[in-house]
Amino acid sequence: MLKMNKLTKVLLLSSALLLAASPTYAASGRPVSNTITASFKVNPVAPSFVLKWVDSENQELETLPLQTVTSGENKDVKVRATTSKTYTDIQLLFTITRTDGTAITANDVELNEYVNNSLGLPRTGEVGGDGKLTIYTRYYQTVTSPVHDFLYNLKFNNTGEYEISVVALNSPA
């Protein structure tokens, strides 16, 4: 065994005592108040898919103000989806009603989608038993988060007053 002088032994012993006693020194304060606690339950973010119209100034709107179009002319409209995650297999459904008391026909409105900045083929829809014209867009394999813009061109073939609503559907192609 190695021989140690007294000074080395004293230093080693005092170091060991200080290390053992250090937690006591750190927690030497006395509580002067009560202890309070709080519990939290953290839920995951609920998936969301919110559609808004986008006006010519790029402002998002719940309701687009009255648009005036001449019969037979086209009007571009932009729909913006704000999503909490990336969605797959999405299709938009345009539901069109006439608000002037005239029955709607399948040819009253055509919907044309911009694909890669070019207009695709116009789509017409079907008039259901509820008297509404429904037109489905093409399927979108992926709608990316947080924002995805859809650009459409509407052609109103007959004079009148129309109201259009849009909803996103998750339906496999």
Side-chain angles (χ1 to χ4, degrees), residues 15-16 20 22-23 48 50 61 91 96 112 124 139-140 142-143 168-169:
S15 295
S22 62
S48 64
V50 177
L61 305 167
Q91 189 175 33
I96 304 157
N112 207 338
T124 55
Y139 283 97
Y140 298 94
T142 304
V143 175
L169 305 173

Side-chain angles (χ1 to χ4, degrees), residues 13-157:
L13 185 58
S14 63
S15 295
L17 286 172
L18 283 173
L19 284 172
S22 62
T24 306
Y25 290 121
S28 63
R30 287 184 343 179
V32 295
S33 72
N34 61 321
T35 301
I36 61 173
T37 59
S39 299
F40 296 88
K41 179 182 177 187
V42 180
N43 294 320
V45 174
S48 64
F49 196 117
V50 177
L51 295 178
K52 297 220 176 159
W53 296 104
V54 179
D55 68 10
S56 59
E57 282 128 36
N58 210 30
Q59 299 296 311
E60 295 180 4
L61 305 167
E62 292 282 336
T63 303
L64 201 58
L66 180 64
Q67 306 290 301
T68 303
V69 182
T70 302
S71 179
E73 290 186 357
N74 299 334
K75 174 71 176 171
D76 285 345
V77 293
K78 187 188 291 188
V79 176
R80 179 168 291 154
T82 304
T83 63
S84 62
K85 66 174 192 162
T86 297
Y87 282 81
T88 57
D89 299 323
I90 295 296
Q91 189 175 33
L92 299 187
L93 170 61
F94 281 69
T95 302
I96 304 157
T97 56
R98 289 195 66 147
T99 58
D100 57 7
T102 306
I104 197 161
T105 68
N107 295 319
D108 278 352
V109 181
E110 294 175 13
L111 177 72
N112 207 338
E113 300 176 63
Y114 282 93
V115 180
N116 299 324
N117 296 323
S118 297
L119 283 174
L121 296 174
R123 294 176 178 261
T124 55
E126 296 178 359
V127 178
D130 57 0
K132 296 179 181 181
L133 174 62
T134 55
I135 304 175
Y136 290 88
T137 66
R138 68 181 175 92
Y139 283 97
Y140 298 94
Q141 288 184 321
T142 304
V143 175
T144 55
S145 177
V147 173
H148 186 95
D149 286 343
F150 303 94
L151 185 58
Y152 300 100
N153 180 271
L154 294 169
K155 182 177 181 184
F156 294 90
N157 293 317

